[in-house]
Amino acid sequence: MNETIPLIRTENLTMRFGGVVANDNITFSLREMELRCLIGPNGAGKSTFFKSLTGQQIPTSGSISFRGQPIAGKLPHQIARMGIGIKTQVPNVFNGLSVREHFWLAARRKSMPKELIRTVDEILDLTRLGDVADRIVGTLSHGQRQWVEIGTVLAAKPELILLDEPAAGMTDEETFRTADIIRDINRTRAIVVVEHDMAFIRQIAKTVTVFHQGRVLMEDTVDAVLADQRVRDIYLGKKVAA
Amino acid sequence: MTKNTALLAQLAALVVVIVLIALVPGYFEIFTVMQLTLFASMAVLALSLAFIWGFGGILSFGQTAFFGLGAYAYAVAAINFQDSTPAIACAILVPALFAVALGYFTFYGRISDVYFGVITLTVTLILFNVANSTSGQEYHIGDAQLGGFNGMPAVPTFNAPFDPSTPLYPEQGWYVTAGALVAVYILLRVLLAGRFGRIVVAVKENETRASLLGYDPRLIKLVAFTIGGAIAGLAGALYVNWGAFISPNAFSLSLSAEIIIWVTVGGLGTLIGPVIGAVLIEYIVSSIGSQQVVNANLVLGAVLLFFVLLLRRGLVPSLQLVVVELWHRARRAPRPKAEPSAAATPAGSK
Ligand SMILES: Nc1ncnc2c1ncn2[C@@H]1O[C@H](COP(=O)(O)OP(=O)(O)OP(=O)(O)O)[C@@H](O)[C@H]1O
Ligand SMILES: [Mg+2]
């Protein structure tokens, strides 16, 4: 891969909903295999940004390119096939299908038939859902469904993984494990994680981008960001202190 | 292990069904055989909606559009070719192509579910009116006069494959119709058990998630809708073969509504349920039809109300729930073999 071409790059990306400017001129770029955390208070525009990247909505203006190829205006399934996977903030699973079927559906696009079963088993192990592999996902607990969605995203083996609040509703132990898994996956794949949990951010982050009112407030190392007065102000000092 | 036993049980059930089909002409009078033939063709129609609605999540209020098109395509082709073999192919192809066109505009045009319902309903109405207004001599396709509201009488019925000189007897017509029902059922079961089936259900369950995994929901729905159209068209040909006659009533909205009732009563999300629903309700309707005390539509309405209000899941899924519950209870209960010996010891010591 050409080192100078970013994996994903947005230029002046803007998304308006009527009078609300959810994303305002966002210029963002991510290298191959990079792990980035995206933080910002509620309504900062993080999920909106992810939706534009995955084609769930068409940005009002600006451009997005994936390895130099423009993707703005492409449909979600086309972008997914290019290699971008997302765990959405509002859980998106197939309630009537089993856990195994989720991983199978996700994996079969990229895995050869022989690998396929192995990939599914690996993801079942990783998400610790082996015991409920054949259960219908609609009957599982919220936490388990969260893992189903994470596993589904991983099974598809995307080049870029977007995780919108993956640890929401998880226990501390599970959150810790999620961070571990993320670091592990990051050895081969690029990941962008949106999280509010600062302990989690500290555990995984190298570079952090801060969104505020639809704009990029700052982008720096985790220590520099968490020490910044503006960041402390928008979070009211609560979570950063923790 | 359990999967294998389930598969064996299903194969056994299939053998039983085939044997029953073979026995019907020997046991029943010709009138009953004919009536069963009609029910079987309606059951094929039920399967078309059972598939697209129950598994594809596509509720078409106009499944009769494809049924009627299939019936007319069969009639026109059979009259022109004087051979039912290519006519049956036409009855499948014409509605399938129509479904491709209609599905393309609606699914690729991102029409919402509600409007999709309205559009399918409207298309059916339009076809009904078109068929109704073809009474003049000038409305003919080749040798086939369309006949307007009078329909087309004396349509050639099925003959042996590529052999118009050997028409089928009503008993053979029964074998073909019941055989088509079994074949369509098996085809759908195989389809649903495979890759495509899981993808169809995934799109039904969550279009957003499916597309985020790289599946194009529009294409998947279009394929499912087309398969449904083809099956409904085949049902149309089977229906014409039963009566040797077709009229614009094949496009009627009341039949469209009836199909939805069959599926609801039998159980949405199953294949066998709608088949049972179709046969049961058509049987009830035809029994009521022969006397004048109660109105058939009234009874249909009452049946639908009962199911929507009290047995929402429909017959087959409700029955499945009961069986599963009983099975779990039976498993939780102590083993019958261990019990007598355990009970025998204290009884003997007394
Ligand atoms: N479909 C929409 N229609 C109208 N407004 C929207 C829509 N989606 C998002 N918004 C608005 O855009 C702004 C950014 O929302 P977004 O969901 O991107 O925030 P976020 O950073 O993900 O917040 P959170 O941390 O609460 O998830 C909010 O003001 C929100 O109300
Ligand atoms: Mg959000």
Side-chain angles (χ1 to χ4, degrees):
Chain A
M1 262 302 134
N2 192 333
E3 285 296 320
T4 57
I5 296 178
L7 177 63
I8 191 121
R9 179 169 174 79
T10 73
E11 268 170 80
N12 305 320
L13 190 70
T14 298
M15 184 73 213
R16 285 198 193 87
F17 297 107
V20 180
V21 188
N23 282 165
D24 191 1
N25 267 303
I26 291 183
T27 295
F28 173 96
S29 122
L30 187 82
R31 283 173 286 113
E32 298 275 346
M33 311 255 266
E34 191 178 343
L35 172 57
R36 181 76 61 91
C37 285
L38 198 58
I39 65 169
N42 294 116
K46 308 176 297 286
S47 298
T48 303
F49 183 61
F50 274 9
K51 280 186 186 156
S52 292
L53 295 186
T54 49
Q56 293 180 74
Q57 68 197 9
I58 296 166
T60 315
S61 63
S63 70
I64 308 170
S65 58
F66 183 67
R67 287 183 175 150
Q69 263 190 293
I71 59 171
K74 281 202 159 64
L75 292 167
H77 70 270
Q78 295 167 324
I79 295 174
R81 286 181 200 179
M82 291 172 80
I84 300 181
I86 180 171
K87 185 222 154 291
T88 53
Q89 183 173 357
V90 181
N92 264 309
V93 289
F94 307 119
N95 277 327
L97 294 180
S98 72
V99 177
R100 197 187 293 280
E101 283 171 324
H102 275 75
F103 299 166
W104 183 89
L105 276 166
R108 64 161 278 274
R109 227 165 237 303
K110 265 215 147 168
S111 303
M112 295 287 108
K114 270 188 186 165
E115 283 173 51
L116 188 51
I117 295 173
R118 213 184 50 228
T119 306
V120 170
D121 285 340
E122 273 169 19
I123 302 291
L124 281 172
D125 267 356
L126 186 73
T127 52
R128 299 190 175 167
L129 290 170
D131 290 344
V132 291
D134 295 309
R135 284 264 299 276
I136 297 298
V137 167
T139 65
L140 299 180
S141 72
H142 177 75
Q144 284 172 317
R145 286 148 54 88
Q146 189 91 331
W147 281 108
V148 170
E149 196 176 6
I150 293 173
T152 306
V153 173
L154 298 183
K157 298 185 180 168
E159 308 292 319
L160 170 62
I161 299 173
L162 308 174
L163 301 171
D164 200 343
E165 307 198 7
M170 283 188 181
T171 62
D172 287 351
E173 194 263 331
E174 282 182 314
T175 306
F176 188 80
R177 242 173 63 71
T178 308
D180 244 12
I181 291 174
I182 288 174
R183 273 194 306 216
D184 192 45
I185 297 161
N186 180 233
R187 280 188 280 194
T188 53
R189 252 82 55 78
I191 306 173
V192 183
V193 189
V194 167
E195 253 304 334
H196 287 295
D197 186 330
M198 290 303 162
F200 180 86
I201 301 286
R202 278 185 206 278
Q203 198 183 340
I204 60 169
K206 291 160 194 152
T207 312
V208 177
T209 301
V210 186
F211 272 31
H212 183 47
Q213 293 177 345
R215 299 183 193 187
V216 176
L217 181 75
M218 71 179 297
E219 191 171 287
D220 211 327
T221 62
V222 61
D223 292 326
V225 164
L226 298 188
D228 192 273
Q229 193 53 47
R230 289 170 304 171
V231 176
R232 287 172 168 271
D233 286 346
I234 61 172
Y235 270 100
L236 297 169
K238 277 188 303 192
K239 285 166 180 163
V240 181
Chain B
M1 184 64 200
T2 48
K3 262 188 183 166
N4 279 340
T5 41
L7 192 67
L8 276 180
Q10 282 169 359
L11 283 178
L14 187 65
V15 170
V16 170
V17 166
I18 290 172
V19 168
L20 286 178
I21 288 172
L23 290 179
V24 160
Y27 274 84
F28 293 108
E29 310 220 340
I30 190 68
F31 173 79
T32 311
V33 174
M34 287 298 281
Q35 202 166 29
L36 288 174
T37 307
L38 174 64
F39 294 166
S41 70
M42 294 294 111
V44 173
L45 182 55
L47 278 178
S48 81
L49 188 69
F51 174 66
I52 65 164
W53 185 20
F55 295 88
I58 306 164
L59 175 50
S60 159
F61 284 109
Q63 208 56 11
T64 45
F66 307 108
F67 175 76
L69 273 178
Y72 270 93
Y74 172 82
V76 167
I79 289 171
N80 279 296
F81 295 126
Q82 288 298 317
D83 177 358
S84 69
T85 321
I88 294 173
C90 287
I92 295 170
L93 278 178
V94 171
L97 289 177
F98 186 69
V100 169
L102 186 61
Y104 181 79
F105 283 115
T106 47
F107 300 133
Y108 281 72
R110 293 167 184 258
I111 305 276
S112 74
D113 288 353
V114 176
Y115 282 105
F116 180 80
V118 173
I119 287 171
T120 50
L121 199 81
T122 312
V123 163
T124 313
L125 267 174
I126 292 171
L127 288 174
F128 177 76
N129 283 317
V130 167
N132 241 332
S133 55
T134 55
S135 7
Q137 287 286 324
E138 66 273 28
Y139 295 107
H140 63 93
I141 301 175
D143 298 333
Q145 285 290 337
L146 294 179
F149 53 82
N150 289 321
M152 303 165 71
V155 179
T157 56
F158 291 171
N159 50 253
F162 300 106
D163 180 12
S165 61
T166 318
L168 299 189
Y169 295 111
E171 289 86 355
Q172 292 167 315
W174 155 254
Y175 288 139
V176 170
T177 310
L181 173 59
V182 172
V184 169
Y185 178 82
I186 293 175
L187 184 116
L188 288 177
R189 280 297 294 264
V190 169
L191 202 67
L192 285 169
R195 206 181 65 176
F196 181 73
R198 283 188 225 183
I199 298 172
V200 165
V201 174
V203 168
K204 179 196 84 164
E205 292 282 334
N206 190 335
E207 253 184 80
T208 304
R209 177 40 76 200
S211 63
L212 292 175
L213 290 177
Y215 297 102
D216 184 354
R218 305 169 305 175
L219 180 65
I220 306 296
K221 284 180 165 183
L222 180 62
V223 174
F225 189 58
T226 303
I227 293 171
I231 294 172
L234 172 66
L238 297 170
Y239 175 75
V240 177
N241 174 61
W242 168 77
F245 163 80
I246 186 64
S247 81
N249 282 333
F251 292 111
S252 74
L253 288 184
S254 64
L255 181 58
S256 264
E258 249 172 81
I259 309 171
I260 293 174
I261 297 175
W262 299 337
V263 175
T264 311
V265 166
L268 186 64
T270 68
L271 291 178
I272 195 71
V275 168
I276 294 171
V279 173
L280 212 65
I281 288 181
E282 285 311 280
Y283 175 73
I284 294 172
V285 168
S286 72
S287 310
I288 296 170
S290 51
Q291 46 86 34
Q292 297 295 320
V293 185
V294 271
N295 181 292
N297 282 331
L298 217 67
V299 174
L300 264 188
V303 167
L304 182 65
L305 238 105
F306 172 80
F307 275 90
V308 169
L309 294 178
L310 294 174
L311 214 60
R312 252 233 169 91
R313 294 161 185 273
L315 280 177
V316 168
S318 302
L319 206 68
Q320 276 171 346
L321 273 184
V322 170
V323 170
V324 166
E325 177 60 28
L326 286 179
W327 189 71
H328 275 296
R329 276 194 200 171
R331 272 213 333 178
R332 248 179 269 137
R335 289 192 173 189
K337 259 205 168 174
E339 251 195 312
S341 60
T345 326
S349 62
K350 265 181 195 173

